[in-house]
Amino acid sequence: MQRSKLRLGPVIYFVFFIYLSTLISCTDNDTRYGKYVDPDAIFFDYKIKGEEKDSLITVYLQFRRGGPNGSTIMLSGPANVELDGEIIPIDSAKLTGAFYEIQKPAKGFAGKHTILFTDFNKKEYEQEFVYRPFTLKTKIPDTVRRGNLTFEFNGLESEDYIRVSLVDTSFRNRDINEIDTVKNGKLIVSAEKLKNLVDGPITVLLYKDVERPVQKSTKAGGRISVTYGFTREFELKSPLKSP
């Protein structure tokens, strides 16, 4: 029996060590006591994201210590953050740390909105953003023959930029993933670029991501990004052979 206990002891300590390590890893990404953080060291990290298929828009905010890669901050009163006058609740995850998230119905969300951050000294930092979804005019058929692929849009500037991703089912190819220019509502993916893809199912992702510095920030600065886009699918095939 004594030999069994001796063997069990190291196991107990090992399990306890794993538990302790897990507990620490869950908390060391957050600065939990906001009152001990210098307000001028708070970096604002704001993300607003919507997709055509979703009925909700996500507003996801984080506050970091010192800069974009700093530990996340859990605000304590009187510090808080609001969207259009509504206080945003806090949440936390092991990989991301503390974050503030709220979801709003996509219908009626287009237009101007305001994020208001109040720091521990009750100093306010207001940030406005415009959520402007766009639409795809082009109806993509189930089957697309190789050649230039044209997309037409409504709701973009006369010259605008979107991320274009076309992904096939092969792991050997480079796919297409780039920022491309939309001119007068039109974007063309050349037949030459389509050579990166094999025939078969293709997934298309078209996203506009606008990122810029926040208007009013602490010494640490901040950034805000507004993203919107949509997904399409089609079957890519080679051109029909002439008889």
Side-chain angles (χ1 to χ4, degrees), residues 3-123:
R3 293 179 62 184
S4 298
K5 288 182 180 179
L6 288 174
R7 290 175 182 172
L8 187 58
V11 175
I12 293 174
Y13 282 117
F14 178 76
V15 172
F16 176 76
F17 176 78
I18 294 298
Y19 171 79
L20 184 61
S21 299
T22 303
L23 180 62
I24 292 173
S25 66
C26 287
T27 60
D28 65 1
N29 198 38
D30 295 340
T31 300
R32 293 198 169 265
Y33 298 100
K35 62 183 178 181
Y36 298 120
V37 178
D38 178 1
D40 278 332
I42 298 175
F43 178 88
F44 305 147
D45 194 358
Y46 297 162
K47 296 181 177 69
I48 298 90
K49 185 176 181 181
E51 295 186 15
E52 178 193 50
K53 64 180 181 179
D54 294 337
S55 60
L56 297 173
I57 307 301
T58 299
V59 178
Y60 181 92
L61 315 176
Q62 287 188 300
F63 301 94
R64 298 184 176 276
R65 191 169 191 169
N69 298 316
S71 59
T72 57
I73 298 169
M74 299 179 71
L75 304 176
S76 59
N80 64 63
V81 62
E82 305 171 18
L83 174 69
D84 299 333
E86 180 180 353
I87 291 181
I88 303 176
I90 188 172
D91 205 338
S92 183
K94 180 178 178 180
L95 294 179
T96 62
F99 61 91
Y100 293 77
E101 182 180 84
I102 191 169
Q103 293 186 313
K104 290 292 185 179
K107 186 176 182 179
F109 193 77
K112 185 180 292 186
H113 301 273
T114 302
I115 298 169
L116 179 64
F117 168 66
T118 304
D119 73 11
F120 313 111
N121 298 323
K122 298 185 179 181
K123 183 176 180 180

Side-chain angles (χ1 to χ4, degrees), residues 133 144 240:
V144 174
L240 293 171

